[in-house]
């Protein structure tokens, strides 16, 4: 099949390369000429495991030629289906900002006006229920002067890709959700995913666009709430001197609970959980429903960095002293610092007048935009030397392997937010929930 993807961020680039790998002819459209040029030279512009190999194989010189990028929307006319994968950021009140999606839909609609044949547009970005039907489809109809369902199809296909493992998650899905309000659009979406469905036997959920949109929010809300619930329980465990990880291991044996997403500690960050929980909460409140569990999910998450800092306060006064922050990325395996728990941790240290020295294997540069004034060390050991406390924020493997480097600290106080470090003699160790 011939597939176009509008947008080449984390999701757009990953699905473009993966669709090419499944055998489709793929065109990735982006307004940024540098991104387009980079992809056409055979390299991705984002850091994602396995992606450089796929982009090189399908867009690079001597490759299959199945992936190419362009700035021209007209390119969609050479394809059968277009996935709209543009950013959906947050407004100040937490609600979703659809302006990029709307601008993309205007361009797509104008282009569709010249289409001789049927074409299916699929919303890939995370959008609140009703966005496809009530916002995107009317724009497409108005700009193309055509009718959805008669002249072109509209669908919604949420993504469940984790940053860092997006390629693996795409190629091994636990489900494929296809939302459409007409049969032809649904059939086109099926055709796009057929090679993956045949290969993986992943269950396919067929539904309408509103339900597909909600499934994405429900998925992320549930996962965020699960982490917040184990953090709430973990905080109680800590107060009782109980190891929350031992408790989690036991309850995880109940297959109604499962052992996944039961790692308690500093809580969740990243570009999705906070934004999605806020957006679906705002969408509910607009309809005068107050989602109590989702509000508590955020409240518990907000609490964890302060608990980490208060454990530190109980051992050492950091005012005017050097404090090492180990890990800045919102999770290991990515350079993404969006909503990272390191941000409130560093803010708390600054409020206390500490001299912050941060280390992360790949995310320091991105954190410099948030905190240009703190020190960034080139290694964990460089960060730890003469520090009065070390706060463990991200459980990168190399951070879990730190041992004797703690002995170079002025006072070896280690406050672990991710159960990354083993408790041992010679260090003052506090785990957040154990
Ligand atoms: C998440 C979802 O897992 C994906 O399915 C979804 O597609 C994606 O959001 C999205 O909406 O785009 P991601 O944000 O990349 O993916 O990261 P996760 O691996 O889910 O981790 C999220 C946060 O939860 C991290 O900060 C992680 O450290 C934290 N976490 C996760 C815990 O604190 N404990 C756990 O047991 C698991």
């Amino acid at each position: 099949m011939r597939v176009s993807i509008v947008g080449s961020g984390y999701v757009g680039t990953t699905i473009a390369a993966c669709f090419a790998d499944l055998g489709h002819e793929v065109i990735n459209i982006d307004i940024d000429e540098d991104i387009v040029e980079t992809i056409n030279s055979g390299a991705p512009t984002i850091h994602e495991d396995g992606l450089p190999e796929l982009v090189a194989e399908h867009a690079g010189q001597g490759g299959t030629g199945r992936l190419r990028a362009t700035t021209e929307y007209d390119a969609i006319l050479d394809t059968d289906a277009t996935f709209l994968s543009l950013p959906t950021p947050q407004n100040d009140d937490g609600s979703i900002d659809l302006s990029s999606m709307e601008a993309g839909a205007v361009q797509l609609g104008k282009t569709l006006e010249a289409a001789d044949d049927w074409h299916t547009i699929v919303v890939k970005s995370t959008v609140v229920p009703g966005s496809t039907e009530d916002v995107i489809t009317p724009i497409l109809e108005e700009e193309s002067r055509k009718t959805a369902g008669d002249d072109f199809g509209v669908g919604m296909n949420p993504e469940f890709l984790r940053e860092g493992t997006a390629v693996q998650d795409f190629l091994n899905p636990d489900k494929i959700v296809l939302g459409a309000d007409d049969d032809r659009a649904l059939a086109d979406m099926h055709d796009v995913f057929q090679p993956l469905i045949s290969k993986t036997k992943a269950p396919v959920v067929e539904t309408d666009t509103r339900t597909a949109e909600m499934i994405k929010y429900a998925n992320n809300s549930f996962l965020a709430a699960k982490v917040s619930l184990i953090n709430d329980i973990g905080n109680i465990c800590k107060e009782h001197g109980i190891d929350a990880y031992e408790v989690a291991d036991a309850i995880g044996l109940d297959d109604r609970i499962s052992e996944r997403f039961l790692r308690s500690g500093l809580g969740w960050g990243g570009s999705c959980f906070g934004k999605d929980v806020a957006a679906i909460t705002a969408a509910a409140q607009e309809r005068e429903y107050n989602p109590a569990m989702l509000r508590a999910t955020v409240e518990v998450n907000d609490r964890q960095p302060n608990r980490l800092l208060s454990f530190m306060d109980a051992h050492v006064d950091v005012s005017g002293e050097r404090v090492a922050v180990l890990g800045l990325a919102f999770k290991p395996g990515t350079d993404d610092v969006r909503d990272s728990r390191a941000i409130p941790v560093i803010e708390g240290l600054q409020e206390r007048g500490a001299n912050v020295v941060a280390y992360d294997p790949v995310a320091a540069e991105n954190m410099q935009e948030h905190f240009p004034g703190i020190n960034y060390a080139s290694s964990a050991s460089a960060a730890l030397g003469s520090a009065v406390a070390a706060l463990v924020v991200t459980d990168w493997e190399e951070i879990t392997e730190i041992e004797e480097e703690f002995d170079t600290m002025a006072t070896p106080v280690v406050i672990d937010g991710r159960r990354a470090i083993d408790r041992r003699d010679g260090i003052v160790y506090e785990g957040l929930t154990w």
Side-chain angles (χ1 to χ4, degrees), residues 257-339:
I257 295 174
S258 111
E259 84 277 19
R260 298 183 71 190
F261 272 70
L262 283 186
R263 290 184 60 83
S264 55
L266 261 173
W268 40 263
S271 64
C272 306
F273 284 1
K275 178 168 84 86
D276 292 353
V277 170
I280 201 66
T281 299
Q285 283 169 337
E286 222 174 87
R287 281 157 189 76
E288 295 184 3
Y289 177 72
N290 181 14
M293 290 285 284
L294 294 185
R295 293 165 73 87
T297 294
V298 175
E299 190 189 321
V300 172
N301 201 55
D302 287 346
R303 209 179 267 172
Q304 298 308 87
N306 288 329
R307 284 183 66 84
L308 187 87
L309 291 162
S310 65
F311 288 134
M312 174 193 74
D313 291 337
H315 291 286
V316 61
D317 178 359
V318 298
S319 170
E321 304 286 354
R322 187 177 160 100
V323 176
V325 174
L326 301 178
L328 298 169
F330 84 91
K331 66 174 184 180
T334 177
D335 62 353
D336 196 341
V337 299
R338 284 176 288 178
D339 209 14

Side-chain angles (χ1 to χ4, degrees), residues 11 126 159-165 169 216 219-220 223 227 230-231 245 259-273 276 301 330-332 339 341 395 418:
V11 174
T126 301
E159 58 89 7
F160 303 99
L161 311 176
R162 287 166 300 169
E163 269 180 44
T165 53
D169 288 349
K216 170 61 192 262
N219 217 93
N220 273 359
L223 292 173
V227 173
I230 197 64
N231 280 337
Y245 277 68
E259 84 277 19
R260 298 183 71 190
F261 272 70
L262 283 186
R263 290 184 60 83
S264 55
L266 261 173
W268 40 263
S271 64
C272 306
F273 284 1
D276 292 353
N301 201 55
F330 84 91
K331 66 174 184 180
D339 209 14
R341 300 296 79 198
D395 46 345
R418 295 290 180 192

Side-chain angles (χ1 to χ4, degrees), residues 52-220:
E53 292 81 356
L54 285 187
V55 176
E57 188 182 339
H58 299 295
Q61 287 282 324
T64 64
R66 290 206 292 266
L67 172 62
R68 69 183 180 85
T70 177
T71 54
E72 303 298 326
Y73 269 79
D74 282 355
I76 73 154
L77 297 174
D78 298 326
T79 65
D80 308 299
T82 301
F83 285 72
L84 197 47
S85 183
L86 291 169
T88 50
Q90 257 177 299
N91 291 314
D92 289 343
D93 65 354
S95 64
I96 189 170
D97 172 0
L98 282 176
S99 53
S100 293
M101 292 293 286
E102 289 170 24
V106 168
Q107 293 300 318
L108 278 181
K110 286 189 197 303
T111 311
L112 272 185
E113 192 179 1
D116 296 326
D117 303 317
W118 172 269
H119 191 96
T120 289
I121 306 284
V122 184
V123 172
K124 186 74 192 172
S125 308
T126 301
V127 291
V128 293
S131 302
T132 302
E133 199 179 341
D134 302 337
V135 181
I136 305 298
T137 302
I139 295 175
L140 291 171
E141 287 186 317
E142 192 182 325
E143 298 295 334
S144 66
R145 299 164 206 264
K146 293 184 173 180
T147 309
D150 290 339
D151 307 311
F152 65 92
V154 181
M156 201 280 152
N157 165 235
E159 58 89 7
F160 303 99
L161 311 176
R162 287 166 300 169
E163 269 180 44
T165 53
V167 171
Q168 277 315 310
D169 288 349
F170 181 95
L171 297 172
N172 304 291
D174 54 14
K175 60 184 170 296
I176 295 169
V177 177
L178 304 179
D181 297 326
D182 69 89
D183 291 344
R184 228 168 137 186
L186 183 63
D188 282 346
M189 292 162 82
H190 249 288
D191 288 347
V192 175
F193 281 97
Q194 197 49 52
L196 189 62
I197 296 166
S198 310
K199 213 188 269 181
T200 63
K201 310 275 177 270
V204 178
V205 178
E206 290 179 6
T207 185
D208 55 79
T209 56
R210 270 173 205 270
T211 310
E213 290 163 338
M214 189 63 204
I215 288 169
K216 170 61 192 262
Y217 282 100
N219 217 93
N220 273 359

